[in-house]
Amino acid sequence: MWNRVVGLIIKEILVFIRDPRSRFVLIVPPLVQMFIFGYAATFDLFRVSFALYDENRTYHSREFIAKFIGSPIFRLKKEILNDSQLKDEIQKRNVLFVLHIDRRFDRDLLSGRSGKVQLIVDGRNSNTAAILTGYANQIIADYNVDWIKKSGRIPPPSQITFRAFYNPNLLSQWFIVPGLIGILTFVVSAMTIGLSIAREKEMGTFDQLLVTPLRPIEILVGKTIPGLIFAMAQATLILLAALLWFKIPFHGHILLLYLGLFFFLFAIIGIELAISSISSTQQQALLGVFFFLVPSIILSGFSTPIRNMPEPIQYLTFLNPMRYFLVIVRGIFLEAKGLDTLWDQYLPLLGIGLVSMSFSWFLFKQRLY
Amino acid sequence: MKKKLFFNNRLYAFIRKEWIQILRDPSSFVIAFVLPAILLFLFGYGVSLDAIHLPVGIVVEHPTRLSSSFESSLKNSIYFSPLSYQTIQKAQLDFQKGRLIGIIWLRGNWSRESLAFGKGTIQTIVNGTDANTARLLEGYLLGVWTGWLKREMIDQNIQLSMPISQEIRVWFNPALITKDYLVPGIIVINMTVVGALLTSLVVAREWERGTMEAMLATPLTKLEHFVGKLLPYFILGMGGMIFSFLLAVFLFKVPFRGSFWMLILSSVFFLLAVLGIGALISNISRNSFVASMVAIVTSYLPAFMLSGFIFDIQSMPVAIQFLTFFFPARYFVSILQTLFLAGNVWSVLSWNLLVLFFFGVVVNGLCYISWKRRLE
């Protein structure tokens, strides 16, 4: 039996390696995407353009505004002089917010009252608006502390400090790039394995495979192992890019990561083979893969937390292998998590893998007898 | 022959043949209608950046009236669902297991020092892995703390004003409902995927199966062949677009403040561009596996990451910003976000529409040129 399976595995690998286009597809697009998305997929704000509407125009207002201009997060694009301009600038998306300084700013500030400042923010991208507001509040809070010290005002009776663990500068790249290892490996394996059997059916070579002495379970193994090998190799490539190029800190154990990767691939390859064997044409398989791929990415917590989803959808995410893998890969990278806290992520992956593999095996049998 | 182009029987018959082919292959309909509906549902309900009920731990070492008033402000905020701990060690254990994303630590001497001017410090530890959530948490906590402080000072008759007080007004989406800005972007992702998938597979498949060869042996001209092939998919795509729009407005209740005709015009330009890209890919690759792969690589993920749908383009490095100009999704996202939330803002719409139009012309022109009439 093993001779036959090994033969099939070698055949599958050769089929893939000998096709230059497939080779290209496996290596180049994932790496290119890694570099582009690693930089593009960020929630951190940088050089956000704003307009200044300073009705005070004194030394004190300038000094306050300098805090905004000096921050790498904000970039002064324009000064405006009246209310109607203010509306225009935001509506046309020229700037993301307008910083408006009250006419009596310096008098209020110097006389012990509060100098008034207004921020008018474009809410079309509401997350950006929320983050931006946070940064602005921070700048104002820092300014308040400095002013209190300088002017000998009575300090507020309580203070609050923040410290971030695992990602002290709160860089979203540290969050997104490890996740990309999962996403990109997933996309390519879905496109290759998910289409493989349907492609063979369309070309008629699947029937040739069926008239060989191979049993369904042997075909299943012979199709799974090459897929696993390719996906692992590809994940390694992307992992190296994350470590060497993006310099994402890696605090955990590399073997645990590979164990997670193995379980994850086992689960998704099972699902992909099932999709592929249900479909009779490549187009159907592609659709099936897509129906699987897109929700898996959206409902994985890759870009938006699962915690924010409505409860029924949160339950749905328990079926999603990507969900578990993202927890594993991020936990190992940043938080140095070990098996003691991650075992409950590995087990569901194994469970999903076993169920989907048995289902694929059942489908192969159906086709055979 | 050229005179009667577009109105002759040949073209009509060809389009009819294509249309029947689409009707009899359910997968095209699934791509145009079922796929957008499912995507809209998933994204609309599944994607949200509204961080509410964040699990945080609050450690109170010596409970006093002050600490319990702070605790109850925290409990009353929709942004937090706090759990109480007596010691920091217990809280840290849950923090490490990932059950808490933040710890608020009121140390033993906190209430003695608090309200004694400038001493009592609330220490907060945040799990920074998910940087975006961590940042939102800090912002919300600052808000809760400021509100609590103001109330306490009024209660205790402390007259104190901060040097600067800020008022923040958010236009277009004052409640910062992420759904309102995400749903228009979702429609774009939908249509990018639908458009690219529809044509990329079909044309490549015809090359593979040899039915393209059969078509080449008919008297159809190159232009007729090209138009007849793409037009049915264009109609199907517009159907899917209008369907997505109706779902967004009536099911997700996203406000629509622009004009419907602008929406139609921009959708026509956008669909021409994405359908053209799909057909171009298949013409070049002539292999449905490679074509589908390239179509997905160049449509779904870029539309997700590089269009400004969820990640802000302005914050990307300049080189990446430059790259976003090559993806039509970028322009359509800007148009739809404006049409839905702000209305007909001409200065935004006009140049985006213009670029989309040129995109469509160039891509379809290339596609037409690469539409080979010769068998190899």
Side-chain angles (χ1 to χ4, degrees):
Chain A
M1 169 191 170
W2 285 109
N3 263 341
R4 288 200 299 262
V5 177
V6 169
L8 180 62
I9 292 173
I10 291 173
K11 172 233 154 205
E12 290 288 325
I13 293 177
L14 285 181
V15 163
F16 212 87
I17 290 182
R18 290 209 178 135
D19 179 8
R21 280 182 301 201
S22 308
R23 272 197 318 249
F24 175 82
V25 150
L26 199 66
I27 296 171
V28 179
L31 274 185
V32 171
Q33 284 179 312
M34 178 72 174
F35 286 111
I36 294 173
F37 300 150
Y39 285 111
T42 171
F43 289 114
D44 305 339
L45 298 186
F46 178 63
R47 287 162 61 80
V48 170
S49 53
F50 74 101
L52 175 65
Y53 181 20
D54 184 3
E55 288 198 277
N56 188 241
R57 297 187 157 274
T58 57
Y59 168 74
H60 293 286
S61 70
R62 289 284 146 181
E63 198 192 35
F64 170 70
I65 294 156
K67 300 282 178 202
F68 275 81
I69 297 174
S71 151
I73 293 149
F74 301 118
R75 181 169 55 105
L76 177 65
K77 198 168 178 190
K78 198 168 182 182
E79 281 210 48
I80 55 177
L81 304 164
N82 55 50
D83 284 342
S84 64
Q85 253 184 317
L86 186 157
K87 197 173 161 187
D88 243 37
E89 291 298 316
I90 291 199
Q91 257 199 345
K92 290 183 180 167
R93 288 194 133 171
N94 287 342
V95 295
L96 264 171
F97 72 100
V98 174
L99 180 64
H100 180 193
I101 314 285
D102 187 64
R103 204 176 305 135
R104 291 155 40 86
F105 177 81
D106 64 328
R107 262 173 289 166
D108 286 338
L109 184 70
L110 293 169
S111 66
R113 288 189 294 268
S114 294
K116 287 184 191 65
V117 166
Q118 196 185 35
L119 251 78
I120 299 107
V121 184
D122 178 357
R124 260 169 280 187
N125 183 332
S126 62
N127 190 58
T128 303
I131 298 280
L132 174 104
T133 315
Y135 281 128
N137 280 332
Q138 196 56 54
I139 289 183
I140 294 170
D142 291 347
Y143 184 84
N144 278 338
V145 170
D146 285 353
W147 185 264
I148 287 167
K149 265 191 209 144
K150 234 173 25 187
S151 66
R153 272 197 194 205
I154 305 167
S158 166
Q159 278 169 12
I160 189 160
T161 61
F162 296 101
R163 221 181 114 198
F165 273 29
Y166 311 125
N167 182 0
N169 295 320
L170 295 182
L171 301 171
S172 30
Q173 209 175 51
W174 288 17
F175 180 65
I176 297 285
V177 168
L180 277 174
I181 297 172
I183 300 276
L184 296 178
T185 312
F186 181 37
V187 170
V188 175
S189 86
M191 299 302 303
T192 49
I193 300 162
L195 296 190
S196 64
I197 292 175
R199 184 178 159 85
E200 292 214 21
K201 277 188 200 163
E202 235 177 49
M203 296 171 99
T205 49
F206 195 62
D207 287 320
Q208 289 175 10
L209 205 58
L210 293 183
V211 294
T212 60
L214 286 162
R215 285 184 297 147
I217 187 84
E218 293 168 2
I219 298 181
L220 186 72
V221 174
K223 286 273 174 194
T224 307
I225 290 181
L228 255 170
I229 293 174
F230 283 120
M232 282 282 200
Q234 201 201 1
T236 306
L237 211 60
I238 303 173
L239 177 69
L240 285 177
L243 294 174
L244 301 178
W245 181 266
F246 287 101
K247 304 226 182 329
I248 310 295
F250 189 90
H251 296 304
H253 205 294
I254 191 89
L255 284 181
L256 269 185
L257 183 66
Y258 271 92
L259 184 70
L261 196 61
F262 178 78
F263 280 18
F264 170 62
L265 289 171
F266 182 64
I268 57 173
I269 289 174
I271 299 173
E272 287 156 7
L273 284 176
I275 292 172
S276 199
S277 32
I278 293 174
S279 326
S280 49
T281 67
Q282 272 196 86
Q283 190 167 12
Q284 284 174 12
L286 185 79
L287 261 180
V289 164
F290 226 76
F291 274 113
F292 169 52
L293 190 77
V294 173
S296 300
I297 293 179
I298 300 164
L299 302 180
S300 65
F302 167 67
S303 57
T304 62
I306 290 173
R307 198 185 317 108
N308 295 355
M309 299 169 190
E311 221 166 284
I313 297 203
Q314 288 195 28
Y315 287 119
L316 200 66
T317 65
F318 285 120
L319 296 175
N320 182 2
M322 183 64 99
R323 174 209 161 109
Y324 304 103
F325 183 65
L326 285 183
V327 174
I328 292 174
V329 73
R330 285 171 177 157
I332 292 177
F333 256 88
L334 299 178
E335 299 176 30
K337 279 188 176 165
L339 260 187
D340 50 330
T341 43
L342 285 177
W343 63 270
D344 53 348
Q345 309 291 328
Y346 288 92
L347 283 187
L349 281 180
L350 188 64
I352 295 171
L354 288 176
V355 171
S356 59
M357 282 291 176
S358 347
F359 185 57
S360 301
W361 176 63
F362 170 76
L363 286 172
F364 281 179
K365 269 173 87 166
Q366 288 284 305
R367 170 93 184 184
L368 280 178
Y369 302 113
Chain B
M1 188 170 93
K2 282 258 147 122
K3 249 188 296 175
K4 282 182 9 188
L5 191 81
F6 287 126
F7 295 102
N8 57 21
N9 285 331
R10 268 200 321 267
L11 182 62
Y12 170 73
F14 179 56
I15 291 178
R16 214 180 125 197
K17 171 235 157 212
E18 285 292 313
W19 189 249
I20 290 173
Q21 197 173 350
I22 289 174
L23 290 184
R24 292 192 180 155
D25 177 8
S27 57
S28 305
F29 259 95
V30 171
I31 295 181
F33 291 98
V34 183
L35 187 67
I38 290 181
L39 283 177
L40 259 180
F41 274 110
L42 281 173
F43 271 101
Y45 289 116
V47 177
S48 158
L49 290 163
D50 305 324
I52 52 169
H53 303 305
L54 297 169
V56 292
I58 174 160
V59 182
V60 182
E61 292 183 351
H62 286 288
T64 56
R65 190 197 65 78
L66 271 181
S67 69
S68 61
S69 91
F70 181 74
E71 232 183 310
S72 65
S73 318
L74 205 62
K75 276 192 183 123
N76 288 333
S77 160
I78 57 154
Y79 299 118
F80 298 103
S81 43
L83 285 169
S84 298
Y85 293 88
Q86 255 115 43
T87 63
I88 186 78
Q89 285 78 15
K90 277 187 195 154
Q92 263 171 343
L93 214 63
D94 275 1
F95 182 78
Q96 272 154 15
K97 282 184 191 148
R99 282 191 208 132
L100 301 175
I101 60 169
I103 302 176
I104 299 157
W105 187 10
L106 308 182
R107 298 187 109 147
N109 52 2
W110 179 73
S111 63
R112 233 183 307 133
E113 287 185 345
S114 195
L115 295 187
F117 298 113
K119 293 251 179 76
T121 300
I122 299 176
Q123 291 184 344
T124 312
I125 299 162
V126 186
N127 184 337
T129 306
D130 179 356
N132 195 52
T133 306
R135 209 173 273 127
L136 290 175
L137 183 145
E138 289 188 1
Y140 295 142
L141 194 60
L142 203 63
V144 169
W145 173 78
T146 313
W148 168 81
L149 194 62
K150 272 190 187 145
R151 274 194 306 277
E152 277 300 321
M153 290 199 298
I154 292 168
D155 282 358
Q156 302 191 20
N157 253 325
I158 301 173
Q159 297 275 327
L160 188 74
S161 44
M162 294 303 258
I164 289 179
S165 77
Q166 66 270 39
E167 180 206 357
I168 288 163
R169 281 199 315 198
V170 179
W171 283 7
F172 308 122
N173 188 357
L176 293 178
I177 303 166
T178 50
K179 186 192 73 189
D180 284 2
Y181 101 86
L182 288 176
V183 169
I186 295 164
I187 297 180
V188 178
I189 296 190
N190 258 343
M191 296 325 293
T192 311
V193 168
V194 169
L197 278 187
L198 277 176
T199 45
S200 70
L201 264 183
V202 176
V203 181
R205 193 170 58 172
E206 298 227 355
W207 282 113
E208 265 184 358
R209 286 188 179 165
T211 48
M212 202 59 125
E213 205 171 310
M215 276 296 130
L216 293 184
T218 64
L220 277 172
T221 65
K222 186 175 169 183
L223 189 62
E224 284 167 352
H225 194 188
F226 177 68
V227 172
K229 201 88 216 168
L230 291 191
L231 193 65
Y233 289 101
F234 175 73
I235 295 169
L236 207 61
M238 280 307 282
M241 175 68 208
I242 290 169
F243 180 59
S244 308
F245 169 72
L246 294 177
L247 280 179
V249 172
F250 292 104
L251 186 74
F252 288 103
K253 309 258 187 266
V254 179
F256 184 75
R257 304 197 173 106
S259 83
F260 182 71
W261 297 112
M262 270 315 288
L263 178 85
I264 295 293
L265 183 70
S266 52
S267 311
V268 168
F269 287 176
F270 177 70
L271 260 182
L272 282 178
V274 287
L275 287 175
I277 291 174
L280 187 63
I281 292 170
S282 355
N283 271 345
I284 294 172
S285 69
R286 293 198 179 187
N287 171 317
S288 62
F289 170 67
V290 176
S292 62
M293 187 73 197
V294 175
I296 283 182
V297 165
T298 55
S299 70
Y300 174 59
L301 285 179
F304 192 89
M305 313 245 189
L306 297 176
S307 65
F309 149 68
I310 194 162
F311 303 110
D312 210 57
I313 293 178
Q314 276 201 16
S315 302
M316 298 174 189
V318 178
I320 307 279
Q321 283 191 33
F322 178 72
L323 207 63
T324 63
F325 287 114
F326 294 96
F327 293 95
R330 179 215 159 113
Y331 308 101
F332 202 38
V333 165
S334 190
I335 291 175
L336 284 195
Q337 282 184 353
T338 301
L339 279 181
F340 270 90
L341 292 171
N344 289 343
V345 182
W346 291 110
S347 59
V348 176
L349 296 180
S350 53
W351 87 273
N352 280 309
L353 272 176
L354 205 69
V355 179
L356 268 188
F357 178 73
F358 272 108
F359 220 104
V361 169
V362 169
V363 169
N364 283 293
L366 283 177
C367 191
Y368 180 71
I369 294 168
S370 66
W371 203 276
K372 293 240 168 63
R373 303 277 295 160
R374 258 170 209 296
L375 304 170
E376 270 139 29

